[in-house]
């Protein structure tokens, strides 16, 4: 067994933490912003720049965290044999899928009947870990080729449709399977290309070996990040490939900008991944020397992301019950048989964007002490194997 140990890399924890904090903004917006009940915040024809960018900035969260999960898996592998790492990823993946259908699903709806299960972000991380459990036995070069082919090539599948086919939906097509007026299965995170995002992160984990000089890593990551952004701009302006939603001119600079940046997330298009992962590479390249209390604040969330994810969903939903009661709609309407925007009785509920931001800041500040406590507890009890599942 390998026994290599290494201190945590704060730039990775920092990026994880920022992703988790920004992600909460989108979830608060889902429950609290009045426009969420009337139009898509990324629709250039109806949205405004503040609403659009409140939604758009959260696009970085899922791909960044999936990539970093793969990178972290490589670092875990430095302390384990390949078989041990494979077993660890396989069990962790199954655990995450179980949590998605139980703890997470209940957090979204507070529905004891579990009428609207969904294959969402935690599912995608779980299935990606299971796939990575097999990929780790391949060479790094093979893993890289696999990742690049899927990320760059999966949009060739966009025009292939199999109506009502569960397997195809799980692989590459966002689908809602409706069984009755109140029972649905949401497949929002098909496995392709998420599995490739995580395996790409695993490949780049070796760039954090002690033998790899920091300045060299910075140059390479800056080059990759800038190249990804440039390629995104070229492909977006030409509508050549990599995005099912074409760039359109609306005759307004504001709306044109929103159209240019409106990208497909379900499943994530090549252009979506170029701009988000490109940003992640640039951040990782230029954040390793950052220090201070603010950095430590965000790193705390990055060291306990799963723990934070679960409790932030419950806290936001409980606050939504409180706000619904205060505004005269009644807390009972927030015990959902369907997603918030699909409940007719909630039409008219919601608040201005500044309220969304206030609630978001309140949620983050409220969660910091408990996340700090749990981080300290984990660091002091590394011998407790079960903590790795939280």
């Amino acid at each position: 067994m390998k026994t290599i140990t290494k201190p945590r890399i704060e730039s990775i924890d920092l990026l994880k933490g920022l992703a988790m904090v920004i992600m909460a903004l989108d979830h608060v917006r889902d429950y609290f912003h009045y426009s969420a009940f009337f139009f898509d915040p990324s629709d250039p024809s109806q949205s405004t720049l503040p609403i659009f960018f409140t939604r758009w900035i959260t696009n970085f969260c899922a791909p960044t965290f999936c990539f970093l999960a793969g990178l972290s898996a490589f670092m875990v592998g430095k302390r384990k044999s390949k078989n041990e790492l494979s077993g660890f990823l396989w069990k962790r993946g199954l655990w995450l899928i179980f949590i998605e259908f139980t703890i997470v699903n209940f957090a979204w709806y507070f529905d004891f009947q579990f009428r609207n299960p969904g294959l969402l972000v935690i599912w995608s991380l779980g299935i990606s870990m299971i796939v990575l459990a097999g990929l780790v036995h391949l060479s790094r070069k093979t893993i890289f080729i696999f990742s690049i082919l899927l990320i760059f090539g999966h949009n060739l599948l966009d025009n292939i449709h199999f109506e009502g086919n569960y397997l195809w939906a799980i692989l590459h097509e966002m689908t809602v399977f409706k069984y009755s007026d109140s029972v649905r299965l949401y497949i929002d995170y098909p496995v392709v290309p998420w599995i490739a995002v995580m395996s790409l992160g695993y490949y780049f984990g070796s760039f954090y070996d002690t033998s790899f000089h920091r300045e060299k890593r910075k140059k390479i990551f800056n080059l990759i990040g800038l190249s990804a952004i440039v390629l995104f701009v070229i492909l977006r302006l030409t509508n050549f490939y990599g995005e099912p939603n074409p760039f359109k001119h609306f005759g307004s600079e504001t709306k044109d900008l929103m159209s240019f940046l409106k990208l497909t997330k379900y499943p994530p298009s090549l252009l979506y991944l170029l701009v988000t992962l490109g940003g992640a590479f640039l951040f990782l390249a230029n954040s390793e020397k950052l220090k201070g209390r603010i950095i430590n604040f965000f790193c705390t969330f990055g060291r306990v992301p799963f723990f934070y994810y679960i409790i932030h969903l419950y806290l936001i939903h409980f606050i939504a019950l409180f706000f619904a009661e205060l505004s005269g709609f009644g807390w009972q309407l927030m015990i959902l048989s369907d997603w918030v925007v699909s409940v007719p009785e909630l039409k008219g509920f919601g608040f201005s964007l500044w309220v969304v931001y206030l609630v978001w800041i309140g949620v983050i500040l409220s969660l910091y002490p408990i996340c700090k406590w749990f981080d300290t507890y984990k660091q002091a009890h590394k011998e407790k194997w079960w903590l790795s599942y939280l």
Side-chain angles (χ1 to χ4, degrees), residues 306-378:
F306 182 62
F307 177 80
Y308 162 87
Y309 181 84
I310 297 298
I311 61 176
H312 102 283
L313 289 179
Y314 280 88
L315 178 58
I316 291 170
H317 199 164
F318 274 117
I319 296 174
L321 264 69
F322 180 72
F323 272 60
E325 182 67 25
L326 285 182
S327 56
F329 286 83
W331 62 268
Q332 295 90 342
L333 289 180
M334 282 293 174
I335 308 297
L336 303 167
S337 61
D338 201 350
W339 184 229
V340 187
V341 298
S342 301
V343 179
E345 296 83 358
L346 282 172
K347 294 293 184 182
F349 172 76
F351 305 88
S352 299
L353 199 59
W354 67 268
V355 177
V356 172
Y357 276 87
L358 282 180
V359 174
W360 170 57
I361 293 171
V363 166
I364 299 305
L365 294 179
S366 299
L367 292 180
Y368 177 75
I370 189 172
C371 289
K372 181 67 174 177
W373 166 82
F374 186 65
D375 178 35
T376 302
Y377 185 83
K378 278 185 65 178

Side-chain angles (χ1 to χ4, degrees), residues 259-328:
S259 177
F260 185 78
L261 294 175
K262 178 178 169 60
L263 304 170
T264 303
K265 181 179 180 180
Y266 307 104
S269 66
L270 168 62
L271 269 63
Y272 181 99
L273 293 176
L274 284 175
V275 73
T276 54
L277 292 181
F281 273 104
L282 291 175
F283 186 91
L284 289 172
N286 298 286
S287 61
E288 290 194 38
K289 295 182 180 180
L290 296 179
K291 304 289 181 183
R293 295 178 63 180
I294 295 178
I295 303 303
N296 293 335
F297 176 85
F298 289 105
C299 283
T300 296
F301 298 110
R303 288 191 289 266
V304 292
F306 182 62
F307 177 80
Y308 162 87
Y309 181 84
I310 297 298
I311 61 176
H312 102 283
L313 289 179
Y314 280 88
L315 178 58
I316 291 170
H317 199 164
F318 274 117
I319 296 174
L321 264 69
F322 180 72
F323 272 60
E325 182 67 25
L326 285 182
S327 56

